[in-house]
Amino acid sequence: NCIDTSARVVAAAAERLRRFANVEVREGDMHALPFPDGSFDLVVLMHALTYAAKPAQAVAEAARVLKRGGRLLLSSLAKHEHRAVVEAYGHVNLGFGGKDLRKFVDKAGLSIVGCETVTRENRPPHFEVISLMGTKPRNSCRGSIRLASPTFGPPLLDISRCALSSVETKPMPSPSPLM
């Protein structure tokens, strides 16, 4: 499932992804995901929160649709003061600090595995990208988190701006030549 609020982006994503039978593209809102609780093993918020009117709510929705033991991978621009540079892209927020992301994820009931700056542009304005990985506890005790190695079969929800998308994968008989 690929989700975006823009019909234009949904149409472009549908065209790009049409060769993949296991991908559905549709309009949707990251603040109110159209999936039942516990639908996905992995949710990816890839540069989506800078477009979120309510980023904490978007993270809470991502947590809601995660299965117990599921993982959240969140990546965003780090906090900055360059509004003029990002206005053309429609950013609602000027990035987030690690403390902000940790607060959103903790409030959503997820355990934080790690949070760090993963890249910094060499040229001005030197934007940085911060990534966070969290897990949904398998039970009510937060201390018993175990990360499983990735597989090709579990459902995946990918919320990424400019293909704000979710992809439900299906088991593959053999490794894809694209991987």
Side-chain angles (χ1 to χ4, degrees):
N1 294 298
C2 294
I3 297 177
D4 197 290
T5 56
S6 165
R8 184 179 58 79
V9 172
V10 168
E15 179 61 29
R16 274 194 318 271
L17 300 169
R18 69 186 161 131
R19 64 187 171 129
F20 300 103
N22 61 336
V23 177
E24 177 188 342
V25 182
R26 60 176 147 162
E27 286 186 57
D29 181 356
M30 72 177 108
H31 299 92
L33 295 170
F35 304 105
D37 296 359
S39 297
F40 300 96
D41 292 304
L42 174 65
V43 174
V44 179
L45 288 166
M46 188 64 63
H47 296 288
L49 291 186
T50 53
Y51 298 92
K54 297 177 181 174
Q57 183 179 337
V59 172
E61 272 295 282
R64 180 186 66 77
V65 300
L66 270 178
K67 291 180 181 177
R68 295 227 167 259
R71 295 169 289 162
L72 169 70
L73 176 59
L74 188 158
S75 191
S76 179
L77 281 180
K79 196 168 205 68
H80 64 86
E81 299 299 326
H82 305 287
R83 182 174 300 281
V85 176
V86 298
E87 267 183 346
Y89 300 102
H91 288 197
V92 175
N93 301 295
L94 295 179
F96 300 92
K99 185 176 180 179
D100 300 320
L101 297 180
R102 287 174 183 274
K103 181 179 170 185
F104 298 155
V105 169
D106 187 57
K107 187 175 179 184
L110 303 179
S111 296
I112 298 164
V113 174
C115 182
E116 63 183 88
T117 299
V118 293
T119 188
R120 182 177 193 268
E121 286 184 332
N122 291 326
R123 295 180 294 161
H126 304 291
F127 286 116
E128 294 179 336
V129 174
I130 187 167
S131 289
L132 179 144
M133 181 175 235
T135 59
K136 188 169 192 172
R138 290 188 182 277
N139 55 40
S140 60
C141 176
R142 285 184 159 209
S144 59
I145 302 301
R146 189 187 67 137
L147 289 179
S149 58
T151 62
F152 294 109
L156 159 71
L157 175 61
D158 178 9
I159 303 173
S160 306
R161 184 57 183 156
C162 296
L164 189 60
S165 61
S166 70
V167 178
E168 184 171 333
T169 60
K170 295 182 179 164
M172 298 169 52
S174 61
S176 168
L178 298 174
M179 300 205 161

